[in-house]
Amino acid sequence: MAEKRDYYEVLGIQKGASEDEIKKAYKKKAREYHPDLHPDDPSCEDKMKEVNEAFEVLNDPDKKARYDQFGHAGVDPNYGGADGAGGFGGFGDMGDILESIFGGFGFGGGSSRSSASANAPKRGADIQESVTISFMEACKGTKQEIKINRMCTCEACKGTGAGEGTTAEICPDCHGRGSVKTSQRTPFGAISSTKVCPHCSGKGKIIQNPCPSCRGIGRIRTQKTVSVDIPAGIGDRQTMRLSGQGDCGVNGGPSGDLMLNVNVKSHSLFKRDGFDVHCEIPVTYAEAVLGAEITVPTIDGDVKYNISEGTQTGTVFRLKGKGIQKLQRVDRGNQYVKINVEVPKNLTKKQKDLLKAFEDSLNEKNYAKRQSFFEKLKKKFDI
């Protein structure tokens, strides 16, 4: 059974985080790993399960208290139970068991990892960057050049951390394990515990002559430009995962990922609702009365549309398939156009007289809404 990661590490928060911080961290991770947002990354499903499990425990005060005191064993009685170590779930000797239970109370603490873990391959950290694109770029897709700062293997020492012509030495205190065992007397008797080796800081190796380029770290921070294909249909504040573009791994481990947060600028004419586009078109009084062919802008360019006689302000019509392409699909949303009838201003006396004559020539049957309103009014007040 694979060793579970620390729940606080899974959510990217510190022990003692508040309820609000836990919820915010969960929402952030859900955006990073939700399978619906990353259909091309099969690993997201397992990562999302891990995030859900961590949130379920840390968001419950009782479970969180047990987890803080006893670790995974406090919230999952079956944790590690397939290793043939009885009811203790394969924690090893009694010292390891007591360390697991009492580690939070000052009875030793530290890591109980195997001697091989100090120099085992470790995955590089994920990094985050942001990019801002226009509304139309989000609709159509775009290619962007992004500058990122990431940890890369030091070319001078090839990641060893040792200066030219030298090598790292095995730590004499922990013999390469990265941890040392100590024995401590307590009211419960003598307890053995494991802690990080203070001589090598858990690395298992001592570098006498550090590489001058990376100062013995084996990695160095560099700036890199990556080309990113942003797909058509991406929404504002969505996150893209670029595999292997994060910090390089340690001891030959794989690189982390680049989490690219995409910000989309607003548009002066169009508004987005999911994959649908909305806009408003002003028409003249005469066009609304007589009907007319009007020009309607879309994200693909202008199209012609015929409005019927007597079109009222607020009328909405649909242009099917003229919306935004759906992510990872070929079908598109629709465009919805709202008509606003503009009432003319600054009329001359002659224009006013003509309009008055026109109005005098009409009767109630020309105003269906007005006629209906006054009929309802009469019925209400029995006029």
Side-chain angles (χ1 to χ4, degrees):
M1 181 179 182
E3 182 180 353
K4 286 187 177 182
R5 292 170 63 204
D6 177 75
Y7 286 151
Y8 290 100
E9 179 186 345
V10 170
L11 294 183
I13 54 178
Q14 298 293 323
K15 190 173 181 179
S18 66
E19 182 179 347
D20 187 51
E21 288 173 330
I22 292 171
K23 289 181 178 178
K24 286 182 179 178
Y26 172 72
K27 290 179 181 179
K28 180 180 178 181
K29 292 295 181 182
R31 287 194 297 269
E32 288 182 18
Y33 298 133
H34 200 289
D36 290 346
L37 298 178
H38 309 283
D40 293 333
D41 189 349
S43 67
C44 282
E45 184 173 352
D46 290 335
K47 291 176 181 177
M48 193 64 217
K49 287 180 182 178
E50 186 181 41
V51 168
N52 284 334
E53 181 181 328
F55 179 70
E56 181 183 356
V57 171
L58 298 183
N59 194 48
D60 185 308
D62 292 335
K63 291 181 180 179
K64 181 175 181 292
R66 293 200 304 273
Y67 178 74
D68 288 345
Q69 184 173 356
F70 302 113
H72 291 292
V75 292
D76 184 359
N78 298 318
Y79 175 65
D83 295 323
F88 292 105
F91 283 101
D93 60 27
M94 182 60 73
D96 289 334
I97 295 170
L98 291 174
E99 180 189 351
S100 174
I101 296 176
F102 296 111
F105 293 91
F107 289 90
S111 173
S112 61
R113 295 176 179 173
S114 67
S115 60
S117 65
N119 297 301
K122 297 177 185 177
R123 181 180 182 274
D126 292 341
I127 61 174
Q128 292 206 24
E129 291 290 345
S130 297
V131 63
T132 299
I133 61 176
S134 69
F135 181 91
M136 295 303 294
E137 286 175 327
C139 292
K140 299 296 186 178
T142 181
K143 178 172 286 189
Q144 296 284 324
E145 300 292 320
I146 310 295
K147 289 184 178 179
I148 62 174
N149 291 299
R150 63 190 294 259
M151 294 296 288
C152 294
T153 301
C154 176
E155 291 295 329
C157 66
K158 306 302 179 186
T160 66
E164 186 177 359
T166 66
T167 58
E169 302 173 0
I170 298 297
C171 175
D173 289 10
C174 67
H175 305 290
R177 290 190 299 268
S179 60
V180 292
K181 280 196 172 185
T182 60
S183 184
Q184 184 177 2
R185 289 198 171 276
T186 73
F188 300 96
I191 296 179
S192 294
S193 61
T194 305
K195 64 178 182 179
V196 173
C197 175
H199 191 189
C200 65
S201 301
K203 296 178 181 178
K205 295 181 179 180
I206 300 294
I207 299 175
Q208 300 291 356
N209 298 295
C211 169
S213 296
C214 65
R215 297 184 176 88
I217 298 174
R219 300 189 302 169
I220 190 168
R221 187 166 295 282
T222 60
Q223 188 177 80
K224 177 184 177 182
T225 300
V226 295
S227 181
V228 182
D229 287 315
I230 299 177
I234 196 162
D236 185 34
R237 292 184 291 182
Q238 279 193 278
T239 300
M240 294 178 60
R241 175 184 290 274
L242 279 71
S243 260
Q245 295 291 351
D247 287 347
C248 69
V250 178
N251 299 327
S255 296
D257 299 334
L258 166 62
M259 311 302 296
L260 184 62
N261 303 310
V262 181
N263 301 310
V264 181
K265 295 178 182 178
S266 59
H267 197 276
S268 59
L269 184 61
F270 300 118
K271 290 185 179 180
R272 179 173 178 172
D273 180 14
F275 295 101
D276 294 331
V277 174
H278 293 257
C279 74
E280 296 186 7
I281 300 294
V283 299
T284 67
Y285 178 73
E287 287 174 329
V289 172
L290 302 176
E293 182 182 74
I294 62 173
T295 300
V296 179
T298 74
I299 62 174
D300 298 318
D302 294 345
V303 298
K304 299 296 184 180
Y305 187 85
N306 289 310
I307 59 172
S308 58
E309 292 183 17
T311 295
Q312 303 295 311
T313 192
T315 298
V316 176
F317 61 85
R318 182 184 70 168
L319 298 177
K320 188 175 180 180
K322 288 295 185 181
I324 299 168
Q325 180 179 327
K326 299 178 181 179
L327 278 171
Q328 311 300 329
R329 292 165 60 176
V330 296
D331 54 323
R332 299 172 55 166
N334 302 312
Q335 177 167 328
Y336 293 90
V337 182
K338 182 179 179 181
I339 295 295
N340 283 329
V341 180
E342 186 173 5
V343 177
K345 296 180 179 180
N346 304 316
L347 299 180
T348 64
K349 183 177 182 306
K350 181 179 180 181
Q351 289 169 334
K352 291 178 181 179
D353 291 340
L354 290 171
L355 191 57
K356 183 65 171 63
F358 170 72
E359 178 67 19
D360 291 342
S361 69
L362 302 177
N363 54 46
E364 290 299 324
K365 71 178 181 179
N366 295 114
Y367 295 102
K369 289 184 179 180
R370 176 184 171 90
Q371 185 178 21
S372 174
F373 171 78
F374 282 110
E375 286 177 355
K376 291 176 182 178
L377 190 65
K378 288 179 180 179
K379 289 180 181 179
K380 183 174 179 64
F381 294 102
D382 194 24
I383 298 176

